[in-house]
Amino acid sequence: MLVQERSTSESPKTQIRTLPTLHSYRFSKSKSLDFSTWLSENLYKVVTILLLIVTVAALFFLRNVGDTAALLCFQSQTAALEKIQFPKIDWNSIASIPAKSSLYPEFRSEQWIVVSVSNYPSDSLRKLVKMKGWQVLAIGNSLTPSDWALKGAIYLSLEEQSNLGFRVVEFLPYDSFVRKTIGYLFAIQHGAKKIFDVDDRGEVIDGDLGKHFDIELVGEGARQEIILQYSHENPNRTVVNPYIHFGQRSVWPRGLPLENVGEIAHEEFYTEIFGGKQFIQQGISNGLPDVDSVFYFTRKSGLEAFDIRFDERAPKLALPQGMMVPINSFNTLYHTSAFWALMLPVSISTMASDILRGYWGQRLLWEIGGYVVVYPPTVHRYDKIEAYPFSEERDLHVNVGRLVKFLNSWRSSKHRLFEKILELSFVMAEEGFWTEKDVKFTAAWLQDLIAAGYQQPRLMSLELDRPRVTIGDGDRKEFIPQKLPSIHLGVEETETVTNEIGNLIRWRKFFGNVVLILFCNGPVERTALEWRLLYGRIFKTVIILSETKNSDLVVEEGRLDHAYKYLPKVFDTYSGAEGFLFLQDDTILNYWNLLQADKSKLWITDKVPKSWTTVSAESSDWFTKQSNMVKKIVSMMPVHFQVSHKQSVESEKSVTICSSEVFYVPRRFVADFLDLHGLVGDLEIHHKVAIPLFFTAMDSVQNFDPVLNTMSYREKPAATNSSTIYSVHVPAVHPWNVSNEQDFIKLVRIMAEGDPLLAELV
């Protein structure tokens, strides 16, 4: 069972297969056949096989020596069949689906609560039913008890859902909460103006949604007020963690890119916006907020339930165009202008469905001039202390950062909202965020909305493309979030956290514009996300290399033997970076001990005896070949490189070897590195030989920064990781093996002595 109570398994479909009856005539006596008789009886088979052979031969001929144009035409037709087809919809001929097809043809309500149910009614759900003015709609699935019932709630079983006549039914899995999509359409069909999307463990605080959300946006009941808004001053800031604003800086919501987890500073200032278009309203949950598996799995302490509280007095907070926030299906209010954004994707895991829906919907919301507002605690969700599936979120963590960037860059020239919605879903499938199934599902959803009587909103001009208005001093509004106590692993946060956060900020400022290039020798599918989580708190950019490329995890391919040959590509991509730090995953970086280093100098382990060594060129054939290549490169060096190198080497008959687990190249030496890389050309000089050669050519060893000289270094790895190897007082530790999540957890716990906030991760 999942913490969020979402099942991702395929629903069982029982198939009864009738076995064929064995009749006696099936085993008749064999015939004696000669070749001519056999050929006459099987002539059509022979002809078919010959035609097939001729066809294959013709294609082979075309590919190799024949008409290339004909072959390309054939190939293009084949590729066309594989392309995602854009749905064709006649928007003017969509027939309405009357409410009389349901069990409640005459029932109407403007305010609906839609919830998915897999078990018998919970206490929280019983309280939701008693809320005045709201109609609860419970959506069943294949896991729901057949005798499910709750007085005051409308319950739709699988059979009743299929009888409603909606197109989306054929796309929905039987055992998933995404069947709520039918519930949204049912509510719209029966007069909905507001839909509260919630799960069955959420208790509305004080039992009154109107006390927390803006239920009315126009008319007498509307609150005509000004809302605090995140600043749009930094156009590169595209996603934020709202929990910081509400007093919990060490907690992050599910769907926040892991590279943004370390951003825990509060806002320098806010701006303001007039209320009235907050068509999507995201509430904060006390108790068990909507957190991801990384947070839940690594911060659990035994059987202790989470009971995290947020600042109920903090003002609600709007997001400007160009900035997004994770939106879930546990505690969110949708107004009629945003009902189209309720669609839950079906081709991705259920743990990612509502998050991708939220980002997709936010981008489209800008097209009608709407925006998202995040509200102080509105519900209390109870932690049931159950296992949480990290694997079910892996695709979410990999894709969400790329998705936010894509959505901010996406533009459409369509003239109606539904056309833009369909176009975006199509392009997202082409980009691999979901599959063609969700393109077809979007088409069915939009048609069902129209059939249910929904009127699509009018488009507004996109503010994102307008010049950004300068924020004057008078427009800057200040709010300092509270620092509420949080209990993680039985350790209560106190004011000492202020110093720890101060240290984290100092480290981030020091390394914020340094690119970390991490080479993974271990299995990236088990460790890539963990490394990004650990070092992404400090380094804004973390590049991961491995012998095997993994596009899903954004891992680039590179051979360790020639890892230096990949660096020029990184240098070019991050031309504004202050420097580049290379690190192998068998070496642990104690970043808190590097602040005294000079980022304008080269860093390397030239004073670490077992890491930097000199070997006779005649020691082996391999060293002889490497030595000859070094001599060839040195002979081609310009005078300044050659002089510097020869001053640093003991003898031309020896080869300098550096294990090169960790080194740093500042921006001012990048051009020199590129020149030296150009001299290597196609030579197969090894990484361990090339790096000390480059470093000694770029600058005198006397000018290297000594920051890495005191690292803890052992040549041969121990059988298992040991605390005797690790020291919190050195700049780096080698070797240390991390091959799975448990190894990562052990590492983080031991590193927490130097960075106490790491205890928050485990």
Side-chain angles (χ1 to χ4, degrees), residues 410-421:
W410 177 78
R411 298 294 184 272
S412 171
S413 60
K414 299 295 183 182
H415 300 295
R416 292 198 297 179
L417 177 63
F418 279 15
E419 293 174 349
K420 287 180 180 284
I421 293 174

Side-chain angles (χ1 to χ4, degrees), residues 415-522:
H415 300 295
R416 292 198 297 179
L417 177 63
F418 279 15
E419 293 174 349
K420 287 180 180 284
I421 293 174
L422 190 58
E423 182 183 48
L424 178 56
S425 292
F426 176 78
V427 178
M428 284 178 60
E430 288 188 320
E431 293 292 327
F433 295 112
W434 54 40
T435 71
E436 185 176 12
K437 184 177 181 180
D438 270 315
V439 180
K440 296 177 179 178
F441 183 59
T442 304
W445 163 254
L446 295 175
Q447 292 177 85
D448 283 342
L449 281 175
I450 294 175
Y454 183 73
Q455 299 292 322
Q456 58 178 307
R458 293 182 179 180
L459 295 174
M460 302 280 287
S461 60
L462 196 64
E463 295 180 9
L464 203 61
D465 293 332
R466 300 176 186 171
R468 291 181 178 266
V469 179
T470 302
I471 303 173
D473 293 338
D475 298 323
R476 301 186 177 207
K477 307 300 176 183
E478 186 175 289
F479 172 76
I480 307 298
Q482 289 193 42
K483 297 177 181 179
L484 298 181
S486 297
I487 298 177
H488 304 309
L489 300 177
V491 180
E492 184 170 355
E493 292 184 3
T494 64
E495 285 304 311
T496 59
V497 174
T498 303
N499 294 329
E500 295 164 0
I501 291 178
N503 286 334
L504 182 60
I505 292 173
R506 286 195 302 118
W507 302 332
R508 286 183 60 81
K509 285 184 177 180
F510 186 82
F511 290 108
N513 200 25
V514 172
V515 175
L516 177 65
I517 305 164
L518 180 69
F519 193 97
C520 273
N521 296 285

Side-chain angles (χ1 to χ4, degrees), residues 139-154:
I139 306 301
N141 55 57
S142 61
L143 305 176
T144 311
S146 58
D147 58 344
W148 196 97
L150 178 61
K151 184 178 179 180
I154 295 176

Side-chain angles (χ1 to χ4, degrees), residues 99-114:
K100 62 183 181 181
S101 61
S102 73
L103 297 177
Y104 310 88
E106 305 301 328
F107 181 77
R108 295 290 184 275
S109 178
E110 292 190 354
Q111 300 182 156
W112 290 74
I113 297 174
V114 180

Side-chain angles (χ1 to χ4, degrees), residues 448-742:
D448 283 342
L449 281 175
I450 294 175
Y454 183 73
Q455 299 292 322
Q456 58 178 307
R458 293 182 179 180
L459 295 174
M460 302 280 287
S461 60
L462 196 64
E463 295 180 9
L464 203 61
D465 293 332
R466 300 176 186 171
R468 291 181 178 266
V469 179
T470 302
I471 303 173
D473 293 338
D475 298 323
R476 301 186 177 207
K477 307 300 176 183
E478 186 175 289
F479 172 76
I480 307 298
Q482 289 193 42
K483 297 177 181 179
L484 298 181
S486 297
I487 298 177
H488 304 309
L489 300 177
V491 180
E492 184 170 355
E493 292 184 3
T494 64
E495 285 304 311
T496 59
V497 174
T498 303
N499 294 329
E500 295 164 0
I501 291 178
N503 286 334
L504 182 60
I505 292 173
R506 286 195 302 118
W507 302 332
R508 286 183 60 81
K509 285 184 177 180
F510 186 82
F511 290 108
N513 200 25
V514 172
V515 175
L516 177 65
I517 305 164
L518 180 69
F519 193 97
C520 273
N521 296 285
V524 292
E525 66 276 4
R526 296 182 181 179
T527 60
L529 289 177
E530 286 79 357
W531 288 125
R532 289 191 194 278
L533 177 62
L534 174 61
Y535 292 126
R537 299 166 61 254
I538 308 300
F539 298 87
K540 186 176 181 180
T541 303
V542 178
I543 306 296
I544 297 183
L545 302 178
S546 178
E547 297 284 349
T548 304
K549 183 175 182 177
N550 190 318
S551 300
D552 292 336
L553 296 174
V554 198
V555 175
E556 299 291 337
E557 182 179 2
R559 290 174 52 195
L560 181 58
D561 291 353
H562 301 110
Y564 66 95
K565 292 189 175 184
Y566 184 82
L567 298 186
K569 180 180 177 181
V570 180
F571 296 162
D572 181 64
T573 302
Y574 299 94
S575 57
E578 188 177 2
F580 303 85
L581 182 62
F582 182 90
L583 181 70
Q584 293 186 41
D585 66 345
D586 60 356
T587 301
I588 305 306
L589 193 69
N590 290 342
Y591 40 82
W592 52 86
N593 291 324
L594 300 177
L595 299 188
Q596 74 276 18
D598 187 340
K599 287 185 291 182
S600 67
K601 293 185 176 182
L602 295 167
W603 310 352
I604 200 165
T605 54
D606 62 301
K607 295 297 190 294
V608 180
K610 295 180 181 179
S611 175
W612 183 288
T613 57
T614 300
V615 182
S616 170
E618 299 177 355
S619 299
S620 68
D621 290 341
W622 186 85
F623 284 118
T624 300
K625 291 178 181 179
Q626 293 293 315
S627 176
N628 290 336
M629 285 187 282
V630 169
K631 291 177 182 178
K632 184 175 181 179
I633 294 170
V634 171
S635 68
M636 295 186 292
M637 285 182 178
V639 59
H640 58 288
F641 286 154
Q642 191 174 124
V643 170
S644 176
H645 170 71
K646 289 184 176 181
Q647 287 178 346
S648 302
V649 298
E650 296 180 3
S651 168
E652 292 185 358
K653 296 182 180 180
S654 61
V655 181
T656 302
I657 304 294
C658 179
S659 53
S660 304
E661 289 91 0
V662 55
F663 59 83
Y664 170 79
V665 179
R667 165 57 56 187
R668 71 187 186 97
F669 283 106
V670 164
D672 290 345
F673 194 102
L674 295 176
D675 290 342
L676 291 165
H677 174 267
L679 294 178
V680 173
D682 296 331
L683 294 177
E684 295 292 314
I685 189 168
H686 197 279
H687 182 71
K688 294 182 178 181
V689 178
I691 291 301
L693 171 63
F694 285 14
F695 270 60
T696 54
M698 288 189 290
D699 202 1
S700 170
V701 292
Q702 284 79 19
N703 294 329
F704 293 171
D705 193 284
V707 66
L708 296 176
N709 291 353
T710 57
M711 74 174 288
S712 174
Y713 193 95
R714 294 189 183 185
E715 193 170 7
K716 295 182 179 180
T720 58
N721 295 325
S722 172
S723 58
T724 59
I725 299 176
Y726 183 84
S727 171
V728 72
H729 303 295
V730 298
V733 177
H734 174 87
W736 194 276
N737 176 59
V738 176
S739 59
N740 53 49
E741 294 169 13
Q742 292 302 318

Side-chain angles (χ1 to χ4, degrees), residues 133-195:
W134 291 86
Q135 176 58 52
V136 172
L137 175 60
I139 306 301
N141 55 57
S142 61
L143 305 176
T144 311
S146 58
D147 58 344
W148 196 97
L150 178 61
K151 184 178 179 180
I154 295 176
Y155 170 66
L156 296 180
S157 65
L158 286 175
E159 181 179 0
E160 290 165 345
Q161 295 169 32
S162 64
N163 292 334
L164 294 176
F166 293 124
R167 298 168 179 81
V168 297
V169 173
E170 64 175 286
F171 297 94
L172 299 172
Y174 289 111
D175 58 353
S176 171
F177 89 105
V178 300
R179 298 193 71 86
K180 291 171 78 173
T181 300
I182 298 176
Y184 307 141
L185 290 168
F186 183 92
I188 294 168
Q189 188 185 52
H190 289 76
K193 301 298 181 185
K194 300 101 183 175
I195 294 178

Side-chain angles (χ1 to χ4, degrees), residues 230-450:
Y230 280 105
S231 165
H232 60 265
E233 186 176 52
N234 181 2
N236 296 319
R237 192 180 183 206
T238 55
V239 64
V240 292
N241 178 2
Y243 291 175
I244 298 172
H245 175 79
F246 295 98
Q248 291 291 355
R249 60 205 175 281
S250 60
V251 186
W252 66 89
R254 179 173 56 96
L256 185 75
L258 289 182
E259 57 264 31
N260 296 96
V261 166
E263 298 174 3
I264 60 175
H266 67 76
E267 303 300 304
E268 292 184 14
F269 63 90
Y270 299 86
T271 58
E272 292 179 330
I273 189 173
F274 287 104
K277 291 189 176 182
Q278 57 268 42
F279 301 141
I280 299 179
Q281 303 175 14
Q282 176 66 66
I284 299 289
S285 301
N286 276 338
L288 175 63
D290 186 25
V291 294
D292 61 22
S293 57
V294 175
F295 181 93
Y296 192 89
F297 179 73
T298 59
R299 297 194 179 198
K300 256 317 188 187
S301 177
L303 297 178
E304 179 186 359
F306 277 131
D307 187 13
I308 300 172
R309 303 301 176 105
F310 294 86
D311 183 8
E312 61 183 18
R313 295 183 177 85
K316 57 192 174 188
L317 190 57
L319 287 99
Q321 290 190 15
M323 187 177 291
M324 296 183 175
V325 69
I327 295 177
N328 59 50
S329 59
F330 303 149
N331 180 19
T332 312
L333 181 70
Y334 285 77
H335 280 262
T336 183
S337 294
F339 280 173
W340 47 266
L342 282 161
M343 183 195 81
L344 287 162
V346 294
S347 67
I348 55 180
S349 69
T350 54
M351 298 302 292
S353 181
D354 57 342
I355 298 300
L356 263 67
R357 173 188 75 171
Y359 285 121
W360 169 84
Q362 284 177 84
R363 174 60 187 86
L364 290 163
L365 194 63
W366 302 342
E367 300 289 341
I368 61 173
Y371 50 85
V372 173
V373 170
V374 184
Y375 290 73
T378 53
V379 304
H380 187 102
R381 296 178 70 242
Y382 293 95
D383 183 5
K384 295 186 178 180
I385 318 174
E386 295 164 351
Y388 200 97
F390 178 83
S391 59
E392 292 298 329
E393 283 186 358
R394 194 173 289 273
D395 59 334
L396 176 65
H397 293 308
V398 168
N399 284 325
V400 71
R402 184 169 66 93
L403 175 62
V404 171
K405 294 178 182 178
F406 164 77
L407 291 173
N408 270 280
S409 64
W410 177 78
R411 298 294 184 272
S412 171
S413 60
K414 299 295 183 182
H415 300 295
R416 292 198 297 179
L417 177 63
F418 279 15
E419 293 174 349
K420 287 180 180 284
I421 293 174
L422 190 58
E423 182 183 48
L424 178 56
S425 292
F426 176 78
V427 178
M428 284 178 60
E430 288 188 320
E431 293 292 327
F433 295 112
W434 54 40
T435 71
E436 185 176 12
K437 184 177 181 180
D438 270 315
V439 180
K440 296 177 179 178
F441 183 59
T442 304
W445 163 254
L446 295 175
Q447 292 177 85
D448 283 342
L449 281 175
I450 294 175

